[in-house]
Structures are given as structure tokens and as C-alpha cells.
Amino acid sequence: MAASGDIEALIEMMARLPGLGPRSARRAVLHLIRKRARLLQPLAEQMAAVAATARECINCGNIGTAELCEICTDSRRASGQICVVEEVADLWAMERAGVFKGRYHVLGGTLSALDAVGPEDLRIPRLIDRLGEEAVSEVILALNATVDGQTTAHYLADEIGARAEVTSLAQGVPVGGELDYLDDGTISAALKARKKV
Amino acid sequence: MAASGDIEALIEMMARLPGLGPRSARRAVLHLIRKRARLLQPLAEQMAAVAATARECINCGNIGTAELCEICTDSRRASGQICVVEEVADLWAMERAGVFKGRYHVLGGTLSALDAVGPEDLRIPRLIDRLGEEAVSEVILALNATVDGQTTAHYLADEIGARAEVTSLAQGVPVGGELDYLDDGTISAALKARKKV
Ligand SMILES: [Zn+2]
Ligand SMILES: [Zn+2]
């Protein structure tokens, strides 16, 4: 055993986090122990607080601390627009961009024939219900440009198209992106969607 | 704000850990929240336990849960050999290699003219005291193969050479390499081939 039992157990738990491996977990834990009063104790308390209060919004699937998330309870965001994303991380990315002023719907994944994920396994029935409940005029699909993401987008467009306008994020070259680093699909999509300058 | 206050605060704390940035901190926190009963709550408790009990061994600087660490209290490790390392992470790396059966001494850094780190700023006086207290016959220097690491090795060889045999890990530790990055086999081979300084 390299460290005492409690510390070893902490390292093993940290090593299972996405983005950390055994080595970075050891470094992180040593760093935390070195500053245990200023870092480790507060982090433990913050985690306990989040563990006790964090929950999924029953309306949109966002994570917050109440039955309805802060976006669903904010009447200024009742714009008639719902932006559909795969995961909460995507919702956060949209919010950081700061341009969308409507509400969200977090599917919790994508349809996948391979993994046997059907509409009932995602938050799709609730999305259909919201169309009427929230007088939705536009559903913006902000799904990943993967095969499963696009399959899901087509399915949703078929289901929703008769009841609301369905749009999707434009595909193209990322701002600051260098052509040489882009995959062929992105370049192809950007070319097809080319605009007059 | 992308997430609620408590969650945002947790992400910011996680993002400051070595090896994690804002993006991986967000992913880790979402992962933890998704499995809050099975992962987040236990992790919070484990951190609190370590924060409450972790401390530096007053003899060698290793991290444990008592005044003396498990290695210093293990009489089977009173071999007359002390392996000197820079940081606790290096001690753990040596222990993972599993070939050294003596005790350790964690300096807490290296001498550095640039950063004005002198012998009194490291755990060097305590090392000198231990030579007599623990009837030390050999001091194995397992310092990083950096300029500061080697400066510190030469300083220690001068200070200790008259009182105990001083050896160092064999070349085999790559130039500029840090112990914590090495595989167990390399560490093991370097230890077996250690030479008198
Ligand atoms: Zn919501
Ligand atoms: Zn000790």
C-alpha cells in the first residue's frame, strides 16, 4: 500500500472521475491534503451541499436545486422557443455563449439503434407535452453532429414539425477554426451552407 | 450563470485541482451529480474524513493519519536504510515499485538558489538527526534528475557522507525526468543498480 487506507480510498474514488486517471488523482489528492484546511475541507462541504440539493428539473432535465430549474421558473425566458440539447453540459455551453434567451430541453442522450435507446428512454415524451403547455413556436435542435445526434434530430423534426417550427444550429467552420484541423464532414457542410459575402 | 450557485462553486473548486481545467471540472461534476447517491455523497464523506485525519509524519514527512506514519512505526522497515525523496508523490512511486524495504525521508522540495530555498526550508535538519537516532548505514538519494534535484543530492552527499554511505538511484532515470512519471520497472531497475556517490 502506497498511502494509508483512507487516502488510498480517496485516490481511487477520484481516479474514477472523467478526465482524471490514477496519476492525476494522486497529484490532486496530495495537493488537497497539503492545503487541507483551505481546500480539502471546503471541497468536502461543497460536495456534500450539492449532493444534498442537486436534482433534475422535472420540466426540462436541467440540473438545479429545486423541482423546477432557474430557467424554467424565469418568466422572461418564456419566449416560445425551446432549445433541445443532449446533455446538461451542452445546456451550460449554450448558456456560456449567452445568446439564447429561451428555455431548454435536455434529452439525456440520443436515439441509438446500436445501444437500443428509443424515444421512451429519452426525455422526448415530456418535450412533446411542453409544446402545448408552453405555447412553443420554435424548437431549436442543438444536437451533436454525430450519426446518433443527427438521427435523433430527424426523428424529432418528424414528430414535432406539424406543431412548431423546427430549426437546427448551422453547421460550419468554428470561429477561429483552421481549415487544416477540420474534418472533411465539417468542411463539406460549411461549403454546402456557404453564403454570399 | 450556467449552473446554480452551489454547483458553479463546486465546479470552480474542482477546476483549480492539478490536472483538471474548467471543462473537465464541469464534466466531472455532472458525472458526480448524475450519480450523487453512489458517487458524490461518498466522495464528500471520504474527503471530509481525510481532511480531518491526514497529517504529515513528524519523523519523515510522509502523509498518514497519526503523528508517525505507517512506515516509521513498522519495525520491519528499520533496515538502516533511508531513501530520500523530494515529495510524498515520489515516496508513493517508490512504494508502488515495491522493492525498497527501508524507510523514507521527504524533503518537501529541493534546494534552489533561484527560489531562495535553503537547507532550513527543507526537512534536512531532521534528516541529519535521524542518522544517529535510527542507526542509519545507508542514505539512498532518490531525487529528480533535474538541476535542482542534483544540486540537492550533492549538498546532501557532502553533509552526510562522513556519517553514512550515500548512494543514489542509478542513471536510468531519464535526464530531466521526474520519478512520479516513471513506470514501476524503471524505478525498480534504477534502485537495484544504485551507486555510491
Ligand atoms: Zn428546467
Ligand atoms: Zn514517517
Side-chain angles (χ1 to χ4, degrees), chain B residues 57 59-62 68-69 71-72:
Chain B
C57 174
N59 192 46
C60 75
N62 184 17
L68 286 173
C69 74
I71 294 172
C72 284

Side-chain angles (χ1 to χ4, degrees), chain A:
Chain A
M1 189 168 57
S4 81
D6 262 355
I7 296 169
E8 198 65 46
L10 178 56
I11 292 169
E12 276 169 27
M13 293 167 99
M14 295 283 285
R16 271 184 257 126
L17 294 181
L20 282 175
R23 182 166 189 283
S24 33
R26 287 193 297 269
R27 289 173 62 88
V29 167
L30 273 177
H31 177 74
L32 287 168
I33 289 175
R34 224 174 273 131
K35 307 189 172 174
R36 51 196 172 280
R38 203 163 58 76
L39 292 183
L40 184 53
Q41 184 60 38
L43 181 55
E45 286 164 13
Q46 196 64 37
M47 282 187 172
V50 169
T53 60
R55 51 187 301 182
E56 284 175 358
C57 173
I58 58 164
N59 192 47
C60 77
N62 185 17
I63 284 170
T65 54
E67 200 168 58
L68 285 173
C69 74
E70 293 178 2
I71 294 173
C72 284
T73 51
D74 184 347
S75 60
R76 289 166 302 179
R77 302 202 60 154
S79 65
Q81 293 174 308
I82 288 183
C83 177
V84 176
V85 294
E86 293 177 19
E87 303 290 353
V88 173
D90 303 324
L91 186 162
W92 290 354
M94 291 290 298
E95 285 294 282
R96 286 197 302 279
V99 284
F100 178 65
K101 300 301 181 194
R103 287 185 178 148
Y104 292 92
H105 196 78
V106 181
L107 293 180
T110 53
L111 297 174
S112 167
L114 206 64
D115 299 324
V117 180
E120 300 290 328
D121 301 312
L122 301 175
R123 214 171 269 105
I124 289 179
R126 178 76 205 126
L127 174 61
I128 308 291
D129 290 344
R130 289 181 68 188
L131 298 179
E133 288 174 22
E134 299 179 41
V136 173
S137 57
E138 181 181 5
V139 173
I140 301 167
L141 303 177
L143 304 178
N144 291 331
T146 56
V147 171
D148 283 343
Q150 295 312 299
T151 301
T152 309
H154 284 121
Y155 174 85
L156 290 176
D158 284 347
E159 290 289 306
I160 295 170
R163 305 179 56 185
E165 187 174 17
V166 180
T167 60
S168 74
L169 294 190
Q171 287 192 311
V173 180
V175 175
E178 296 178 50
L179 286 190
D180 197 23
Y181 287 85
L182 294 178
D183 62 289
D184 300 346
T186 302
I187 291 178
S188 165
L191 181 71
K192 281 182 194 143
R194 69 188 179 277
K195 299 181 301 183
K196 200 163 161 36
V197 179

